[in-house]
Amino acid sequence: TRKVSCVDSPRVSDDYVSEMAKRFGEESNAYRVRVLGEFPQRDDDTAIPLELVESAQRRDVIITDQEPMIWGLDVSRFGSDRSALAKRRGRELVAIQTWQGLDLMQLTGAVVAEYESLQPRNQPVQINVDSIGLGGGVCDRLRELGLPAVGINSSESPSSKQTYINLRAELWFKVKAWLEARDCALPKDDDLMAELVSAKYKFFDLPTWQTRSASHLPLTQSLCLAAKAKQPTGKSRSGEG
């Protein structure tokens, strides 16, 4: 198999290589895949192996309009970072959309415009928003505008406290289990693939699992939110009644 490193390619800018190194780290699987053109290392502490991601990106699944659409929205925390919106219907992640450089109200407007552009049968029945920090304000505003937004605080306690350090780690491993079932589909998105294989895990306090990564992973976080099962609405951004 012929491989081409971005470092040696005249078609790839030095800024791109520097950005990937800064975002993921030169020792990460994401850097190996996206920049060096290498296969990711099969480290024992890799949360999601490449093979699961590639298999899901090649797979076709049958979905119907009767299956509910659920969105997951991860709000960027830094000016150069991206906000990501994942759209899932049943066992298929239909698409991931990203925005960069938008303030909170502009992002809210973009999500509302996306929602209102769809036929009712294609609109999400729930929009899971990471409500930590800036995301809380976006979630509240979406609800004020009549969208079915639900705040998900990924730093909160997981449902299985003896297994995961927080809800974020639990969502990561639920996505892994979703992929391991081999009956779901992901879009062919290189950035999503790079993020999914970049995170590692460790024992925080035996036998509690904690995921860790070198940077914010907006595409993967939005996927984790979209993969979360539908829950009753009518809650504040903190998830309290």
Side-chain angles (χ1 to χ4, degrees), residues 2-14 16-18 31 34-38:
R2 185 172 181 265
K3 62 182 180 181
V4 178
S5 170
C6 291
V7 177
D8 301 323
S9 174
R11 297 182 179 181
V12 180
S13 69
D14 292 339
Y16 173 81
V17 175
S18 298
Y31 188 86
R34 297 288 289 146
V35 177
L36 301 180
E38 301 276 2

Side-chain angles (χ1 to χ4, degrees), residues 215-236:
S215 65
H216 176 221
L217 306 176
L219 305 185
T220 300
Q221 181 63 11
S222 67
L223 167 58
C224 289
L225 293 166
K228 184 174 173 59
K230 184 180 182 299
Q231 64 186 52
T233 55
K235 296 183 178 181
S236 68

Side-chain angles (χ1 to χ4, degrees), residues 83-146:
S83 295
L85 177 68
K87 304 174 183 179
R88 177 179 67 85
R89 187 188 292 277
R91 292 173 291 111
E92 181 178 13
L93 181 66
V94 179
I96 290 188
Q97 187 168 349
T98 61
W99 297 275
Q100 188 171 9
L102 300 185
D103 62 31
L104 298 186
M105 290 303 99
Q106 289 173 325
L107 177 62
T108 300
V111 175
V112 171
E114 186 71 16
Y115 179 88
E116 294 181 342
S117 70
L118 300 172
Q119 296 285 339
R121 68 176 181 275
N122 291 324
Q123 290 177 337
V125 298
Q126 185 164 300
I127 304 173
N128 294 326
V129 184
D130 191 344
S131 59
I132 294 178
L134 300 177
V138 173
C139 181
D140 284 349
R141 184 55 179 157
L142 289 174
R143 287 175 54 80
E144 289 174 359
L145 295 172

Side-chain angles (χ1 to χ4, degrees), residues 168-233:
R168 184 185 302 276
E170 182 176 18
L171 292 176
W172 263 90
F173 280 95
K174 284 188 174 181
V175 167
K176 181 181 182 180
W178 189 57
L179 295 172
E180 287 177 332
R182 299 182 184 277
D183 61 356
C184 63
L186 296 176
K188 292 180 174 62
D189 186 305
D190 289 343
D191 288 338
L192 174 62
M193 179 183 70
E195 283 194 8
L196 283 169
V197 302
S198 70
K200 299 180 182 296
Y201 66 84
K202 67 178 180 179
F203 285 118
F204 180 78
D205 184 14
L206 291 176
T208 306
W209 298 98
Q210 178 186 42
T211 54
R212 54 191 171 91
S213 63
S215 65
H216 176 221
L217 306 176
L219 305 185
T220 300
Q221 181 63 11
S222 67
L223 167 58
C224 289
L225 293 166
K228 184 174 173 59
K230 184 180 182 299
Q231 64 186 52
T233 55

